[in-house]
Amino acid sequence: MEEGKIMAGGEEVEVEVEQQQQQPCPPLSKNAQKKLLKQQRYEVKKAEKKALLKEQKKREGERKRKEWEEKLAGATEEEKQQLIESRKCLRKERMDQRSDEKGKKMQRLTKAKENGQNVVIDLEFDHLMNSSELHSLVQQIMYCYAMNGRCSCPAHLWLTGCQGEMQAQLQRLPGFDKWVIEKENRPYIEAFQDQKECLVYLTADSETTLDILDPKHIYIIGGLVDRNRWKGLTMKKAEDQGIQTAKLPIGTYLKMSSSQVLTVNQVVEILLKYLETGDWKTSFFEVIPQRKRCEGDNDIEQDEDTEGKDDHEIKIRDIELEEESEEKDDQGSKRQCIES
């Protein structure tokens, strides 16, 4: 506290002013600065690529619309009616198929809420990330939810400590309010205060290696992007709270070219693969991209679609399109009901 003076009724009055101290971010190392510069160049390139794809999609839509109009223009009235009816039937079949798939997905996720493996994404670190990093984490969470929905043995996902800018960005996702996922504003330590002995924070800094996934345990993943600036943060948090920690048994099955720190979506996908297969090795090799492994591990045959999964903007785009198409199908179903 420090003293200051203000004018009140023409007289100077001494008041106490509380100094607001903000903890400065740790200075970036040269290596971290290079990575940041590389990330910034990557973001610019990604934005350009996204704009190009948007323009290509627009042109493709215009081309298809023109082809359809030309097809109708060269047809007789009877042929026009047949073409229109055929198109309606195809659209209805597609909507029915998506509705069926969506129903099955909802059944799996609802069942997972009752007896699935609890997996928590800890969102209490939003104050340590800039807007770009927050956006990246939101994209990873969207990917996690989509992968969980497609999984034959989904987990019961939780978002805890969801507040502020993180909550605002999540709310802007299409269909977020309909997600079958636990959205908890409170920290996990409060949300699970009666199950504290079951909490296990997954961190690469732990000395305990995870052998199996215990259905009784609640596994926590730190929602933090660019952990190089905050090494050991999740481990310290778990120790301060007096909860268990564990690390994935990555070193048992492969050698990493760098640290064993993975993105949030990679950790969630590894856990989902393990829930499906019960095999850590398969889970690691299907999720961890080859460029993160040492050369000796790159000789193992893999499908092309398993490479570079942390750089997952293509899949994110597919998920966004899937969410948009579901919204459109819902609107189309409503229109059909009104018309009928």
Side-chain angles (χ1 to χ4, degrees):
M1 304 288 285
E2 67 175 11
E3 291 185 349
K5 293 182 178 181
I6 61 172
M7 295 297 294
E11 298 180 358
E12 285 188 347
V13 180
E14 291 188 353
V15 295
E16 290 184 334
V17 181
E18 184 176 357
Q19 289 182 326
Q20 295 183 346
Q21 296 181 343
Q22 293 184 347
Q23 292 182 348
C25 292
L28 294 175
S29 64
K30 287 185 178 180
N31 190 36
Q33 289 175 15
K34 288 180 182 178
K35 285 185 177 180
L36 181 61
L37 187 61
K38 184 178 178 182
Q39 177 66 21
Q40 289 171 343
R41 287 198 297 264
Y42 167 76
E43 292 294 339
V44 170
K45 188 176 179 181
K46 188 170 76 169
E48 292 173 350
K49 188 177 179 181
K50 187 175 180 181
L52 178 62
L53 288 168
K54 187 177 180 180
E55 182 61 29
Q56 288 175 347
K57 183 182 175 183
K58 182 181 177 182
R59 285 201 299 267
E60 181 65 14
E62 290 173 350
R63 183 187 66 80
K64 288 182 178 179
R65 187 163 49 253
K66 187 177 179 181
E67 283 182 359
W68 172 252
E69 290 171 353
E70 289 175 352
K71 202 171 185 179
L72 288 178
T76 64
E77 284 301 318
E78 185 178 350
E79 288 172 337
K80 281 182 183 179
Q81 289 300 319
Q82 290 176 349
L83 286 169
I84 292 169
E85 287 300 319
S86 175
R87 194 179 193 185
K88 282 182 178 179
C89 289
L90 286 172
R91 185 176 295 173
K92 186 177 183 304
E93 286 177 10
R94 187 179 69 247
M95 287 168 62
D96 289 344
Q97 183 181 357
R98 283 181 178 166
S99 179
D100 183 55
E101 290 172 356
K102 188 176 180 181
K104 290 178 179 177
K105 180 180 80 172
M106 297 302 286
Q107 287 179 0
R108 292 195 301 270
L109 292 175
T110 302
K111 186 178 179 181
K113 285 188 72 172
E114 297 170 1
N115 52 24
Q117 179 72 65
N118 284 292
V119 176
V120 174
I121 300 177
D122 175 16
L123 301 180
E124 295 178 56
F125 303 107
D126 61 331
H127 61 291
L128 301 179
M129 293 178 282
N130 58 39
S131 58
S132 176
E133 290 165 345
L134 282 171
H135 176 72
S136 176
L137 181 57
V138 167
Q139 296 289 295
Q140 292 181 39
I141 291 170
M142 181 167 67
Y143 180 76
C144 291
Y145 179 71
M147 287 301 300
N148 195 45
R150 295 171 183 175
C151 184
S152 61
C153 186
H156 183 194
L157 290 182
W158 292 70
L159 301 177
T160 63
C162 185
Q163 297 183 14
E165 180 59 25
M166 172 58 67
Q167 186 180 37
Q169 288 204 27
L170 285 169
Q171 291 289 353
R172 287 195 287 269
L173 292 177
F176 178 71
D177 57 326
K178 299 177 183 177
W179 282 17
V180 184
I181 191 172
E182 301 295 344
K183 305 160 191 172
E184 180 61 69
N185 293 333
R186 296 176 299 167
Y188 61 82
I189 201 70
E190 293 181 16
F192 297 102
Q193 57 184 337
D194 297 331
Q195 299 172 274
K196 187 177 178 180
E197 69 281 359
C198 298
L199 297 176
V200 181
Y201 214 118
L202 296 179
T203 169
D205 299 309
S206 178
E207 294 182 0
T208 304
T209 301
L210 196 65
D211 294 323
I212 60 170
L213 291 181
D214 188 336
K216 296 178 183 178
H217 283 168
I218 301 162
Y219 296 99
I220 306 163
I221 302 166
L224 185 60
V225 175
D226 196 359
R227 300 186 187 189
N228 291 321
R229 298 206 312 267
W230 310 98
K231 290 181 179 179
L233 184 65
T234 53
M235 183 68 185
K236 185 178 184 305
K237 180 178 182 179
E239 287 176 339
D240 291 344
Q241 292 176 336
I243 64 175
Q244 301 177 67
T245 63
K247 63 182 176 183
L248 297 175
I250 298 174
T252 306
Y253 300 98
L254 56 85
K255 291 181 181 179
M256 300 284 280
S257 59
S258 57
S259 71
Q260 293 188 12
V261 176
L262 303 172
T263 59
V264 172
N265 62 282
Q266 285 174 339
V267 178
V268 169
E269 191 172 0
I270 286 169
L271 297 181
L272 293 176
K273 288 289 182 185
Y274 180 81
L275 289 172
E276 280 188 328
T277 65
D279 187 330
W280 284 119
K281 185 176 181 179
T282 300
S283 304
F284 293 140
F285 277 99
E286 286 195 13
V287 176
I288 299 175
Q290 287 191 0
R291 62 186 176 79
K292 281 200 170 187
R293 306 184 217 142
C294 290
E295 292 182 3
D297 295 315
N298 290 345
D299 297 332
I300 295 177
E301 291 185 0
Q302 279 211 295
D303 294 333
E304 291 181 2
D305 63 349
T306 64
E307 297 178 12
K309 286 198 175 181
D310 63 327
D311 197 13
H312 56 277
E313 60 272 1
I314 293 175
K315 293 187 177 182
I316 287 293
R317 192 163 58 249
D318 291 341
I319 292 164
E320 287 174 338
L321 291 172
E322 182 180 313
E323 294 284 353
E324 288 173 5
S325 64
E326 283 186 2
E327 291 289 328
K328 287 178 181 177
D329 286 347
D330 288 342
Q331 293 171 4
S333 298
K334 290 176 182 176
R335 281 199 300 269
Q336 282 188 348
C337 291
I338 294 168
E339 289 170 0
S340 60

